[in-house]
Amino acid sequence: MTLAVFFGCTFIAFGPAFSLFLFTIARDPLRIIILIAGAFFWLVSLLLSSLIWFIAVKASDPRDEPLQKGLLIFGVMFSVLLQEAFRFLYYKLLRKAIEGLVALSEDGCSPISIQQMAYVAGVGFGLMSGAFSMINLLADALGPGTVGIHGDSQLYFLTSAFMTMVLIFLHTFWGILFFHGCENRRWWEIVAVVVMHLAVSGSTFCNPLYVGSLVPSYVLMAIAAVWAYMLSGGSVQNLRRFLLCAQSGASPQPAS
Amino acid sequence: MITFMNNSDSEDEPCNERTSLMSAESPPVPSYQDGLQASETREAQTHRKRQTGSSRSPNNVADEDTSDLDVRVRESALENEEEELTLKYGAKHVIMLFVPVTLCMIVVVATIKSVRFYTEKNGQLIYTPFSEDTPSVGQRLLNSVLNTIIMISVIVVMTVFLVVLYKYRCYKFIHGWLILSSFMLLFLFTYIYLGEVLKTYNVAMDYPTVILIIWNFGAVGMICIHWKGPLQLQQAYLIMISALMALVFIKYLPEWSAWVILGAISIYDLIAVLCPKGPLRMLVETAQERNEPIFPALIYSSAMIWTVGMAKPDTAAKGQSQQTWDADGRENHSSSSHSDSQILDTRSPAPSHPITLEEMEEEERGVKLGLGDFIFYSVLVGKAAATPSGDWNTTLACFVAILIGLCLTLLLLAVFKKALPALPISITFGLIFYFSTDNLVRPFMDTLASHQLYI
């Protein structure tokens, strides 16, 4: 494990998220606050779910392996559900915030729309989730050791980095989908987000069979990306115009 | 207390530059004036002097820190506009405080994680005489509580002493005290820090180079903090001395005492700022009676450059970086002796044209946060980083918790429009998240990571 592994995994895992942050969030103070608050909400959900898991583990027999495994599965699923519940709570909070911002603004419209808030909230959740999964690994990657010396997979760091990246993206898209579903009362979108999250977390139980976890996650990410793009007002025409830098009277604006 | 700041630093200037200029040059805006008067009567500003000492100094040179948050915004005529300004400027001010707090924490965490010196136990401060090396848990708890009581009473005594000095106008004494403490921080602690960093990375350095570096660093720091200097440099120096002070605390406070002290200091902060008989409140009221700006202790100010400067009566000696110049021959250097050490920043043109209302509205409001707040935030995060388990998640969780606490404090500021203590909410969140992350989340995440599961 070397500096190369450390930097490589850091950039794989956090590079896209960091550039998203830099180009879309860092300029606007309100968005930064929403980001940090989103991270905070994710953290609280993690806290509560670990509390439940901890109590369950302490109340059970530590030597019973299948039971511990079952408790772990239960912990993971419960954590996913709690994260989505907190996403809903955050949506409620942001709705109230928008009403406050509208009331306080001079021209009756809020400086930030709910769609933008959805995106930023998703990035907040994703960044915190990714950070909690990855940072300890990165710190260990700097130190001495050999990956997989006891027969485990040698690709541990790399696959963790890729998994983290896909999870950050997924959280971003789920944020958009979830908030859109809440806004427009489309419950099936919310259910879809929850099911997708459960699926992604469930697929990681296939690790170290990485084909079983990474491939479905990336496929789901692509689906969620397309869906979120459509919901945000994108279309095939927009995409073609953007890619071809078509000049149709006005210069094309990059999607915010 | 969090207050909203006029462009004038002094809270109650019944005849400040703004009013005088306003009445001379622009049609009077009655509600604006009334708003100003009302705000000035409402405003109160608290600083808390926090005395800290180091075991290394034979004489108890104490550091003073203020740990209250001042946010002042200019009152505007319309209530809506004012609230909208509040919120609109609120987000910007939050970020203006996030950045330095984050930088300070990064410096502290980076040092704690890399330099072994600051996590080694090499004795304790004289303010925490009881050792925690006792076998029984109860005894250890008792010792830490006693240490806390001693430390807090030292702080209270120092603060009251300072208030008394201020009341009896011993400005030179206070100023000398401040200069001595920042001198010690900038030279002695920096020298120790540099030495330890060099030892960690096994870099050899000869004494002449060290002397040159430390001398330049310290001298420029003294000038920037106590006299004039570029805004960024001042802020950087204040962040550095806060980080150094926090590192001293992290090193010399025993484990349990540190946590109890953090809890106690936020309670003390709450009491001192909000109670009518609190020392800080009395300090503020004294300053208001004398029509002086609050005593310039260590404050971090992130005030942006104003497009139109107003004559400032007495900016805070440290950390103030607003532009000032005298307008209309108004003498602003009032009674305080440290008026000669005003921080006047780089550009200071005199206005040669009548200052219109629009120009005044272009002025930016600054945000001030006491260095004591920086120090205790960094102590919390640094202690989280120094846990024996080496877990980074705990550090990250405390960091986010403190930032959210700061955000909430500023929100309360916007709502209540009076000075509020900056420590309680952040430290409470920080403590909750530290203990819960270290004991609950860490085993969960470790188990997940060992099976490579993702939530």
Side-chain angles (χ1 to χ4, degrees):
Chain A
M1 300 191 289
T2 58
L3 265 183
V5 169
F6 170 75
F7 278 114
C9 290
T10 307
F11 291 137
I12 289 175
F14 293 114
F18 184 64
S19 31
L20 280 179
F21 172 78
L22 210 59
F23 290 121
T24 56
I25 299 176
R27 293 294 169 86
D28 190 4
L30 206 50
R31 291 185 194 183
I32 298 181
I33 295 174
I34 296 175
L35 183 89
I36 306 268
F40 180 74
F41 270 74
W42 187 89
L43 196 59
V44 175
S45 81
L46 178 68
L47 208 88
L48 292 175
S49 49
S50 347
L51 177 67
I52 304 291
W53 177 82
F54 191 78
I55 293 174
V57 162
K58 285 296 175 202
S60 67
D61 180 13
R63 288 180 303 268
D64 189 357
E65 285 299 326
L67 179 63
Q68 296 299 320
K69 185 89 175 147
L71 279 179
L72 196 60
I73 296 176
F74 161 72
V76 167
M77 297 298 144
F78 184 72
S79 176
V80 167
L81 293 174
L82 211 57
Q83 282 176 46
E84 298 305 326
F86 269 82
R87 207 195 295 270
F88 180 70
L89 285 176
Y90 195 40
Y91 163 75
K92 283 283 180 215
L93 182 72
L94 287 178
R95 264 258 71 118
K96 280 217 179 63
I98 279 206
E99 284 164 21
L101 285 172
V102 164
L104 295 178
S105 75
E106 343 179 85
D107 50 357
C109 61
S110 150
I112 188 171
S113 70
I114 190 75
Q115 288 86 6
Q116 291 168 345
M117 280 183 168
Y119 161 71
V120 176
V123 175
F125 267 61
L127 271 177
M128 204 59 181
S129 162
F132 261 65
S133 316
M134 200 64 197
I135 289 231
N136 275 333
L137 255 66
L138 291 174
D140 287 337
L142 273 176
T146 307
V147 190
I149 197 169
H150 289 297
D152 301 306
S153 164
Q154 289 182 354
L155 297 173
Y156 184 80
F157 284 137
L158 211 55
T159 48
S160 300
F162 276 107
M163 196 68 209
T164 306
M165 175 176 79
V166 82
L167 212 51
I168 296 179
F169 272 132
L170 276 169
H171 270 290
T172 311
F173 302 135
W174 286 335
I176 300 175
L177 291 172
F178 196 94
F179 279 42
H180 185 265
C182 291
E183 272 292 290
N184 302 73
R185 297 270 181 272
R186 296 203 198 158
W187 306 116
W188 47 278
E189 280 176 12
I190 299 174
V191 167
V193 166
V194 177
V195 164
M196 263 197 270
H197 198 167
L198 284 170
V200 168
S201 281
S203 74
T204 60
F205 280 97
C206 297
N207 286 336
L209 187 68
Y210 296 121
V211 136
S213 70
L214 279 178
V215 170
S217 307
Y218 274 89
V219 167
L220 277 175
M221 183 194 85
I223 296 174
V226 168
W227 196 357
Y229 182 66
M230 295 297 176
L231 286 182
S232 306
S235 62
V236 181
Q237 287 81 15
N238 279 349
L239 196 58
R240 197 187 313 151
R241 218 179 301 146
F242 169 69
L243 286 174
L244 298 179
C245 295
Q247 312 282 336
S248 48
S251 52
Q253 300 285 336
S256 71
Chain B
M1 297 178 280
I2 299 177
T3 61
F4 289 104
M5 176 166 75
N6 298 333
N7 47 359
S8 148
D9 196 22
S10 144
E11 312 85 36
D12 326 280
E13 291 283 329
C15 175
N16 69 358
E17 55 281 5
R18 168 176 294 261
T19 60
S20 56
L21 284 168
M22 282 290 297
S23 55
E25 273 112 25
S26 4
V29 182
S31 54
Y32 177 78
Q33 301 281 18
D34 294 339
L36 208 69
Q37 294 298 102
S39 77
E40 280 163 302
T41 51
R42 274 189 315 187
E43 277 173 18
Q45 187 179 351
T46 49
H47 298 248
R48 180 151 38 101
K49 319 297 171 285
R50 184 137 315 115
Q51 313 309 324
T52 60
S54 160
S55 61
R56 290 171 187 262
S57 59
N59 48 342
N60 285 349
V61 175
D63 238 12
E64 295 169 83
D65 305 311
T66 62
S67 61
D68 287 315
L69 183 59
D70 286 336
V71 176
R72 301 155 126 200
V73 301
R74 193 168 55 94
E75 296 281 353
S76 65
L78 303 163
E79 199 53 35
N80 285 347
E81 198 183 33
E82 170 191 296
E83 285 175 21
E84 181 253 321
L85 278 175
T86 302
L87 205 54
K88 201 160 76 174
Y89 288 122
K92 218 189 295 184
H93 287 115
V94 172
I95 302 305
M96 268 155 53
L97 285 184
F98 271 11
V99 172
V101 169
T102 308
L103 283 175
C104 192
M105 287 191 214
I106 286 176
V107 170
V108 170
V109 169
T111 309
I112 292 283
K113 289 286 188 184
S114 55
V115 179
R116 289 280 152 254
F117 172 74
Y118 287 103
T119 41
E120 290 163 6
K121 282 275 133 224
N122 276 346
Q124 299 181 196
L125 296 172
I126 58 168
Y127 303 109
T128 54
F130 294 93
S131 158
E132 285 194 5
D133 279 332
T134 54
S136 79
V137 170
Q139 182 70 25
R140 190 173 182 185
L141 195 61
L142 181 69
N143 282 354
S144 54
V145 170
L146 290 172
N147 281 338
T148 308
I149 292 174
I150 295 176
M151 186 75 150
I152 301 287
S153 15
V154 165
I155 289 176
V156 170
V157 162
M158 293 292 193
T159 311
V160 169
F161 181 49
L162 199 71
V163 172
V164 163
L165 283 178
Y166 188 65
K167 249 184 159 42
Y168 291 108
R169 300 176 188 265
C170 310
Y171 295 124
K172 290 222 184 299
F173 189 97
I174 297 174
H175 196 54
W177 191 354
L178 281 180
I179 286 190
L180 201 58
S181 60
S182 55
F183 184 87
M184 190 183 69
L185 267 174
L186 280 170
F187 287 94
L188 180 65
F189 288 174
T190 310
Y191 171 72
I192 294 166
Y193 181 80
L194 185 65
E196 291 309 321
V197 168
L198 292 176
K199 273 187 221 166
T200 304
Y201 291 105
N202 205 16
V203 174
M205 193 178 273
D206 52 312
Y207 273 115
T209 313
V210 165
I211 290 175
L212 198 68
I213 292 176
I214 299 289
W215 168 249
N216 278 297
F217 180 82
V220 174
M222 291 298 284
I223 292 175
C224 268
I225 294 174
H226 292 276
W227 195 47
K228 303 185 198 188
L231 172 62
Q232 247 82 345
L233 202 57
Q234 259 171 22
Q235 292 172 338
Y237 268 106
L238 289 173
I239 292 174
M240 277 190 266
I241 63 176
S242 308
L244 285 173
M245 201 67 231
L247 285 169
V248 165
F249 272 136
I250 293 171
K251 181 173 172 62
Y252 288 108
L253 287 179
E255 264 305 318
W256 290 20
S257 305
W259 298 111
V260 184
I261 285 175
L262 276 173
I265 212 111
S266 21
I267 298 174
Y268 167 69
D269 196 10
L270 201 64
I271 295 174
V273 172
L274 295 179
C275 282
K277 279 297 168 195
L280 295 169
R281 192 131 167 183
M282 283 171 39
L283 194 69
V284 167
E285 283 159 8
T286 316
Q288 279 179 344
E289 283 162 30
R290 294 184 195 169
N291 237 358
E292 285 171 359
I294 286 293
F295 175 71
L298 293 164
I299 307 177
Y300 175 93
S301 166
S302 56
M304 298 188 260
I305 307 294
W306 293 0
T307 55
V308 176
M310 308 301 280
K312 305 212 46 80
D314 194 9
T315 58
K318 304 176 197 200
Q320 280 292 343
S321 50
Q322 292 116 353
Q323 285 198 356
T324 71
W325 62 83
D326 286 334
D328 299 333
R330 183 160 181 276
E331 185 53 273
N332 291 318
H333 297 141
S334 48
S335 46
S336 64
S337 64
H338 39 261
S339 57
D340 49 5
S341 68
Q342 292 317 300
I343 308 288
L344 301 176
D345 48 0
T346 48
R347 31 174 209 141
S348 57
S352 54
H353 52 82
I355 299 170
T356 61
L357 183 56
E358 297 84 61
E359 283 183 68
M360 287 188 201
E361 280 175 305
E362 284 169 25
E363 291 166 13
E364 303 283 1
R365 288 163 274 173
V367 179
K368 288 196 283 253
L369 182 62
L371 286 198
D373 295 326
F374 276 89
I375 291 175
F376 284 105
Y377 291 161
S378 307
V379 166
L380 196 149
V381 174
K383 273 281 182 211
T387 51
S389 57
D391 193 30
W392 280 86
N393 289 341
T394 318
T395 313
L396 194 59
C398 290
F399 167 71
V400 171
I402 287 181
L403 286 187
I404 290 291
L406 193 59
C407 201
L408 283 177
T409 311
L410 281 165
L411 192 68
L412 284 179
L413 166 72
V415 166
F416 287 111
K417 293 187 175 55
K418 58 183 208 125
L420 290 177
L423 278 185
I425 302 180
S426 287
I427 300 284
T428 311
F429 276 177
L431 288 175
I432 293 174
F433 275 86
Y434 171 74
F435 287 110
S436 48
T437 311
D438 200 35
N439 297 316
L440 299 175
V441 175
R442 189 165 53 89
F444 185 48
M445 294 306 288
D446 284 347
T447 316
L448 289 181
S450 65
H451 292 101
Q452 213 171 4
L453 300 175
Y454 281 81
I455 47 172

